[in-house]
Amino acid sequence: LPLNKNDMSIAILDDLLTVRELSKWLRLSESHIYTLVSKKKIPFNKVGGKVLFDKQQIKNWIEAQSN
């Protein structure tokens, strides 16, 4: 069955992390995450003024950091 517009929005949001969620996932402080964002050292998106992180972009970023 094709997804309706609301299902697509929910699917996209499920792939996005808040600063708090990302800090727990990466085991970094929220302030360190904000520092990385302010220096544009980590991929992020702003949605309605809220900083969000795409899980796949973060996984790719982590791989690039370890090379």
Side-chain angles (χ1 to χ4, degrees), residues 23-49:
S23 73
K24 288 180 182 174
W25 189 42
L26 298 182
R27 296 187 182 116
L28 297 171
S29 70
E30 289 182 38
S31 63
H32 188 69
I33 301 292
Y34 281 116
T35 298
L36 292 171
V37 168
S38 70
K39 293 181 177 181
K40 296 183 170 47
K41 300 265 186 184
I42 191 168
F44 67 94
N45 302 288
K46 271 196 161 179
V47 179

Side-chain angles (χ1 to χ4, degrees), residues 13-65:
L13 287 175
D14 280 348
D15 287 337
L16 296 175
L17 300 169
T18 64
V19 171
R20 177 171 287 158
E21 291 167 336
L22 183 66
S23 73
K24 288 180 182 174
W25 189 42
L26 298 182
R27 296 187 182 116
L28 297 171
S29 70
E30 289 182 38
S31 63
H32 188 69
I33 301 292
Y34 281 116
T35 298
L36 292 171
V37 168
S38 70
K39 293 181 177 181
K40 296 183 170 47
K41 300 265 186 184
I42 191 168
F44 67 94
N45 302 288
K46 271 196 161 179
V47 179
K50 192 172 188 176
V51 177
L52 298 172
F53 306 88
D54 179 275
K55 286 180 187 176
Q56 190 57 53
Q57 287 180 349
I58 296 299
K59 287 176 185 176
N60 295 344
W61 175 77
I62 290 168
E63 285 179 22
Q65 300 306 304

